[in-house]
Amino acid sequence: SQQGEEDPQALSIQEGENATMNCSYKTSINNLQWYRQNSGRGLVHLILIRSNEREKHSGRLRVTLDTSKKSSSLLITASRAADTASYFCATDASLTFGKGTMLLVSP
Amino acid sequence: DGGITQSPKYLFRKEGQNVTLSCEQNLNHDAMYWYRQDPGQGLRLIYYSQIVNDFQKGDIAEGYSVSREKKESFPLTVTSAQKNPTAFYLCASTYSSGRARPRGTQYFGPGTRLTVL
């Protein structure tokens, strides 16, 4: 069964702006992961946040996790055209992926 | 270099033919996975394997078969029984510490795009 659902389905912003995408899940988890997929490529792991963590940073990425709401958000700050990709969340409770959020960053 | 490879990158097949997609990893990971991705869609799980000589069906296993004779290799055969095989196929692997809650960080291959003519 599908676990992570990303929102919005698509997001279009200008370079330099911040991009926020959200993920909701259904069951209890030990960790949640975010992945990125460039068009026609495999997924690349970006960041993992554990259930006992509320926020985690990696470069321009900031991930939050709210286990009471069963939701997570991924913030990309000062976006660049190279950030254009689809972003997926996944949890350790399921082997499936949602449809992702397609991010378009225009120069 | 450690990683996961898939071959070929592009594959064309005539209707009615079986075709095998290769997936190899040298990460010493126990678990391996096959996903199918259609345009604008998420990833759907076809088969996964937690350990050598063992594998389980995913959500869309019909028309596909796999084997796991070696830890490093998890080939996927798309059979003629698969009604709509044209898609992008992704293989992944992960270190697995056990059968419960198996998924840690997944490492993906570059994918194989299969087109049925």
Side-chain angles (χ1 to χ4, degrees):
Chain A
S1 61
Q2 192 163 301
Q3 172 74 307
E5 294 262 9
E6 299 86 359
D7 175 71
Q9 287 192 6
L11 184 58
S12 182
I13 60 174
Q14 299 291 119
E15 264 191 329
E17 294 179 342
N18 295 343
T20 299
M21 51 205 86
N22 304 296
C23 170
S24 60
Y25 59 92
K26 296 175 182 173
T27 64
S28 65
I29 62 171
N30 292 319
N31 67 66
L32 183 142
Q33 305 136 50
W34 284 91
Y35 292 81
R36 164 193 169 130
Q37 183 183 32
N38 287 83
S39 182
R41 302 287 184 91
L43 277 69
V44 174
H45 178 256
L46 294 176
I47 195 166
L48 180 150
I49 185 165
R50 301 190 191 284
S51 59
N52 61 354
E53 298 175 308
R54 290 296 166 259
E55 188 170 311
K56 199 164 182 179
H57 296 253
S58 177
R60 293 183 295 112
L61 304 180
R62 173 179 163 243
V63 169
T64 63
L65 179 64
D66 187 335
T67 52
S68 67
K69 294 181 179 178
K70 291 187 171 58
S71 68
S72 174
S73 67
L74 171 67
L75 169 67
I76 303 174
T77 60
S79 63
R80 306 166 181 168
D83 294 328
T84 294
S86 291
Y87 293 83
F88 296 87
C89 67
T91 74
D92 70 305
S94 171
L95 293 173
T96 61
F97 289 83
K99 295 182 180 180
T101 292
M102 189 178 300
L103 174 65
L104 174 64
V105 182
S106 302
Chain B
D1 285 339
I4 181 165
T5 59
Q6 291 184 243
S7 62
K9 188 173 175 66
Y10 298 97
L11 189 56
F12 297 89
R13 186 196 97 177
K14 291 183 180 179
E15 273 195 55
Q17 289 181 336
N18 292 356
V19 64
T20 297
L21 282 59
S22 167
C23 178
E24 305 275 333
Q25 55 96 2
N26 61 4
L27 300 166
N28 200 32
H29 284 171
D30 290 313
M32 297 186 74
Y33 312 82
W34 274 106
Y35 292 92
R36 170 184 172 137
Q37 187 177 34
D38 293 284
Q41 301 297 311
L43 280 67
R44 292 185 289 169
L45 182 67
I46 304 173
Y47 269 98
Y48 66 102
S49 169
Q50 301 278 63
I51 197 169
V52 174
N53 292 323
D54 188 33
F55 48 82
Q56 285 79 40
K57 293 182 179 180
D59 299 321
I60 55 166
E62 185 175 348
Y64 299 97
S65 66
V66 293
S67 62
R68 187 86 188 278
E69 297 175 2
K70 298 187 299 180
K71 189 175 185 177
E72 306 77 27
S73 179
F74 191 40
L76 173 74
T77 296
V78 184
T79 74
S80 55
Q82 168 50 234
K83 291 182 173 36
N84 186 19
T86 294
F88 188 52
Y89 290 87
L90 286 163
C91 179
S93 70
T94 188
Y95 170 75
S96 176
S97 59
R99 288 180 178 272
R101 299 291 181 122
R103 180 149 82 175
T105 298
Q106 285 180 300
Y107 293 80
F108 282 81
T112 292
R113 188 167 299 279
L114 172 65
T115 302
V116 174
L117 304 172

